């Protein structure tokens, strides 16, 4: 079976093709059993308006995609997109919706950390992004509601230094938010913002001003990735 690996496998037990029993079809039962075990071990989530307070306070709905049940919903979404699990697609998506709805209630009715509202892996942005993906995969037109909540968080991470612990960081900073925006753009096949990325333009004069501003605040010369983030957030701040 041909693979699509993007790097050379130099281990001694790899002879240029997968061994018998290592194909995708052979791995599928292991994936299925692992998913079922995870779902069985999930804590009760509650539901309905009367349970919003309890749901919001539940620790399982906290932690974002990285350590909360929102990550399980993200897993279910990804597995549901694989042809190998087409037979369980609807069931996985319904389970993902139940989980992400509980996490969305936690964001709405709980007291989320102000520092992680715009975080992709550890906060609200990730929850809203996954809710958007799950709703869209289910064919629901109301996927635009969590998408709107995600878009609104742009204003939180637009300021250059909005987080003391690392504004450009992946887990809680703007790098994670931009990563989520890219995922949504790819999966939804539409622009997440009103202005297409290709139309974002930063003049040379503005670039120099942004560099000076960054240098004066940090004392560090911005590298290529840092410059991209600075330019992107400059344009996001104008939307």
């Amino acid at each position: 079976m041909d693979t699509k690996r993007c790097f050379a496998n130099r281990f001694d037990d790899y002879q240029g093709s997968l061994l018998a029993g290592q194909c995708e079809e052979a791995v599928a039962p292991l994936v299925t059993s692992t998913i079922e075990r995870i779902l069985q071990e999930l804590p009760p989530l509650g539901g309905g308006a009367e349970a919003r307070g309890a749901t919001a306070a539940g620790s399982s709905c906290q932690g974002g995609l990285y350590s909360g049940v929102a990550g399980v919903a993200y897993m279910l979404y990804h597995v549901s997109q694989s042809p190998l699990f087409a037979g369980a697609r609807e069931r996985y998506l319904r389970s993902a919706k139940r989980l992400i709805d509980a996490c969305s209630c936690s964001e709405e009715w709980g007291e989320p950390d102000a520092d992680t509202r715009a975080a992709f892996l550890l906060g609200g942005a990730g929850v809203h992004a996954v809710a958007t993906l799950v709703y869209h995969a289910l064919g629901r037109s109301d996927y635009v509601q969590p998408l709107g909540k995600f878009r609104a968080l742009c204003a939180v991470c637009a300021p250059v230094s909005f987080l003391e612990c690392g504004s450009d960081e992946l887990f809680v900073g703007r790098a994670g938010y931009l990563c989520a925006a890219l995922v949504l753009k790819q999966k939804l096949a539409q622009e997440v913002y009103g202005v297409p990325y290709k139309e974002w333009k930063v003049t040379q004069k503005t670039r120099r001003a942004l560099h000076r501003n960054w240098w004066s605040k940090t004392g560090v010369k911005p590298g290529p990735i840092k410059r991209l983030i600075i330019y992107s957030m400059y344009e996001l701040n104008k939307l």
Side-chain angles (χ1 to χ4, degrees):
M1 171 182 169
D2 293 333
T3 66
K4 297 181 180 179
R5 300 178 72 96
C6 297
F7 57 91
N9 187 337
R10 304 185 185 282
F11 287 95
D12 295 337
D13 62 348
Y14 182 69
Q15 303 300 323
S17 61
L18 294 176
L19 301 176
Q22 292 183 337
C23 61
E24 293 178 345
E25 291 74 11
V27 174
L30 176 61
V31 173
T32 300
S33 62
T34 301
I35 290 175
E36 295 304 322
R37 176 175 56 81
I38 292 174
L39 293 178
Q40 290 174 5
E41 294 177 359
L42 287 176
L45 298 176
E50 69 282 357
R52 282 171 177 165
T55 300
S59 60
S60 62
C61 290
Q62 300 173 0
L65 306 186
Y66 192 70
S67 59
V69 297
V72 179
Y74 201 18
M75 171 198 70
L76 290 169
Y77 166 78
H78 273 288
V79 175
S80 73
Q81 304 306 293
S82 171
L84 285 174
F85 306 96
R89 181 180 186 275
E90 291 300 318
R91 182 166 65 88
Y92 286 163
L93 286 175
R94 287 196 300 270
S95 295
K97 181 182 180 300
R98 180 176 65 87
L99 296 176
I100 206 64
D101 282 350
C103 294
S104 296
C105 283
S106 178
E107 287 294 318
E108 182 177 357
W109 296 92
E111 297 181 358
D113 188 342
D115 288 344
T116 61
R117 285 181 299 160
F120 177 37
L121 295 179
L122 284 174
V127 171
H128 299 319
V130 173
T132 300
L133 294 173
V134 171
Y135 277 44
H136 185 266
L138 284 168
R140 297 173 59 105
S141 60
D142 56 349
Y143 77 89
V144 296
Q145 294 181 7
L147 178 59
K149 294 177 181 179
F150 175 85
R151 284 172 167 162
L153 291 173
C154 171
V156 176
C157 59
V160 174
S161 301
F162 79 100
L163 266 185
E164 292 184 0
C165 61
S167 299
D168 295 329
E169 206 258 351
L170 178 64
F171 280 72
V172 294
R174 78 178 103 254
Y177 184 84
L178 290 174
C179 179
L182 179 60
V183 171
L184 288 172
K185 178 183 177 181
Q186 293 172 336
K187 299 298 184 181
L188 303 181
Q190 67 181 61
E191 293 292 345
V192 176
Y193 302 102
V195 179
Y197 296 125
K198 63 182 180 181
E199 294 181 8
W200 290 3
K201 296 179 181 178
V202 181
T203 65
Q204 189 62 35
K205 181 179 180 181
T206 302
R207 288 172 187 258
R208 288 195 293 268
L210 290 171
H211 287 181
R212 287 196 300 270
N213 182 57
W214 181 267
W215 183 281
S216 66
K217 289 186 176 182
T218 67
V220 178
K221 183 178 180 181
I225 296 179
K226 187 74 70 176
R227 288 199 298 270
L228 174 61
I229 294 174
I230 293 172
Y231 301 156
S232 298
M233 297 319 300
Y234 169 78
E235 293 293 345
L236 286 175
N237 202 29
K238 297 195 303 181
L239 298 181

